Amino acid sequence: MSDLSRLSFNSQTAKNWPLPELIEAAARSGLGGVGLWREPVQRTGIERVAHLVRAAGLEVTSLCRGGFFTAPDAAARRDRIDDNRRAIEEAALLGAQTLVLVCGGLPPGSRDLAGARGMVADAIAELAPFAGEHGVVLAIEPMHPMYCSDRGVISSLRQARLLAERFPAGQVGVLVDAYHVWWDPELAAELALLGPRIAGFQVCDWVTPLPTGVLTGRGMVGEGAIDLRALRREVERSGYRGLTEVEIFSTRLWERSGSEVLAEACRQYLAHVV
Amino acid sequence: MSDLSRLSFNSQTAKNWPLPELIEAAARSGLGGVGLWREPVQRTGIERVAHLVRAAGLEVTSLCRGGFFTAPDAAARRDRIDDNRRAIEEAALLGAQTLVLVCGGLPPGSRDLAGARGMVADAIAELAPFAGEHGVVLAIEPMHPMYCSDRGVISSLRQARLLAERFPAGQVGVLVDAYHVWWDPELAAELALLGPRIAGFQVCDWVTPLPTGVLTGRGMVGEGAIDLRALRREVERSGYRGLTEVEIFSTRLWERSGSEVLAEACRQYLAHVV
C-alpha cells in the first residue's frame, strides 16, 4: 500500500463530516495527521477531540484559526488578542503544533494598509511569548493578495518571514499554503530563507474561473495550475520535515460525502504531490 | 475650474461610447490625454483616431494591448510576436507613448510557471529593439497575482522591473496599475527603484466582493480600499512626470452613459487622487 503517513487532512476540506468520523477514517486510511478548526472542535467538545486524535495516533498539524488582529479601535483589538490567547490554549490542549494566523484585512472604511500591518505586528508581539509558553507556534499565513483588503494584509512569504524573524522560531513561524503563494516570483528564494521557520505546509490547487467572493473555489490537488510536487520538494529542501496538509475550500467538494473526498484527496496526493 | 490637464481617460472605462465622441468629450473637459485599445481604434479607423486625438491636443498615454506571449508551441508564439509588431506600429501611428503588455498566463494545461515567464522574457527581447525604433516603450504590466494562471505571469513590480532592466529604458518600461499592485509590501521600495522606468500610471479602486471571473469588478476611483492619493505621490516622487490614467473595467459602469462616467471619473480624480 502506498504511504500516506506524511499526509494530513484538514477537516474543512470535508466540513460537513462529523469530526469523530473524520478522525477515525483518517487514522484507518493510514494518514499521519489532521488539521482542525476551532468551531467544529468546540461543537464536538475539545477534550473529546483531543482524546480521539491521541488515541488514533494522529498529529494535529494545525489549528485554524487565530488572527483577525485588525480592528478600528483599541477595545476591539484587545478582544481579538484575548480570543487568540484562548485559541493558543485550545491548540495546546489538542497538541496542535501550530495556530494558524489569518491576520485580518483593512478595518472597515480604512485605506491605511501600513497601519493595518502595524496592528498585526503589534498583536503578534503581544501573543508570541504566550504561544511559546504553551508550546504552540504562531504560524503567520501570508494570504493571496486578492484577500488583502478583507482577510489578510500579510500578502507575501517575504513579508511574513520578515515579521516572523522578529521573534524566536519556537514562537512564530510561517505557514506555506500553496494556494496563497504559488504565483510568487520570489517563492524559491523565500522558501530557502525561511528554512526552519516553515511551520506548516498546505496544498490544494488553483482553478479558474474564480467564483464570486473568491473564497470557495479551490481545486482538488492535481486539477489546477500549481506544480505541487515541485513545491513540496522546495519546501522539503528548505528543511521542512512536517506533514503535508490537504486543505480545500470548495462548494463543489462540500456537496460530496466526507469519506469520498478523503479517498480522492489521498489518491491525488499520491499522484501529484509525493 | 479644477485642473484636469494631468488626467487621462482610458476608453475601456466607457467601452460602449464611440471613440470620436469620447475623444471630443475628453478634450472639452480639459483632460490631458486618453488611453486607447486596439479593437475600438480599428473599428473607428486608426488614421481617423490618430487625426482626432492630434486635433484635440490630447496625449495618447497608452495603447492596450500587446503581450499574450505564452503559447504552447513555437508557431503560436511566432504569431503573437508578429501581432505585437503590428501593435507597436499602431502605437507609433497613434503617437502613443507606450504599448501596454499583458504578458499572458500559463499555456493551457501547463504548470510550468518558470517556463511561461521565460517565454515572456524571450518575446520582449525580440520586440524591444523594434519598439525602440518606433519610439514606443513596451510597458510591462505586472498583473495582480489572481490573474497569474490565465492572463499574466508577471506578478509583481519587482519582477517586472528586473525584466525591464535588461533593456534600454527607451525600449522597455513598467506600467503601474493601482489595481494590480496596491497590496504589494514592496510597493514603495519598488517605485523608488523603478524611477524613470515607470512608463504609465493607471488608477481605479479595489472593491469586494470580487465578481465571478474577477475581471469586471473594479471600483470607481475613491470608492474602494486603495489610498490612491498616497500612491500617486509615491509614483511622482520616483520621478514619473506622465499623466494619471483612469482605467476601470466594471459591468456596472458599462451600463451607464459614457459622458456620465467621464464626469464622475473627473470628480473622483479631483477628490481622491490629486
Side-chain angles (χ1 to χ4, degrees), chain B residues 252-265:
Chain B
R252 204 163 39 81
L253 288 186
W254 291 333
E255 287 164 6
R256 294 167 53 193
S257 85
S259 58
E260 209 181 286
V261 171
L262 172 62
E264 186 177 334

Side-chain angles (χ1 to χ4, degrees), chain A residues 10-20 22-23 35-49 52 63-65 90 94:
Chain A
N10 186 289
S11 69
Q12 203 67 2
T13 310
K15 70 171 184 176
N16 301 314
W17 204 6
L19 267 189
L22 183 154
I23 290 165
L36 300 175
W37 283 60
R38 294 179 72 195
E39 299 72 15
V41 164
Q42 282 156 6
R43 278 199 301 275
T44 307
I46 187 163
E47 302 283 0
R48 184 174 171 215
V49 174
L52 288 173
L63 180 65
C64 289
R65 52 200 186 177
E90 291 163 22
L94 292 164

Side-chain angles (χ1 to χ4, degrees), chain B residues 4 6 19 27 34 37 71 121 128 130 194 196 199 217 227 235:
Chain B
L4 297 171
R6 310 298 301 152
L19 267 189
V34 287
W37 283 59
F130 187 77
L194 273 165
D227 188 340
V235 166

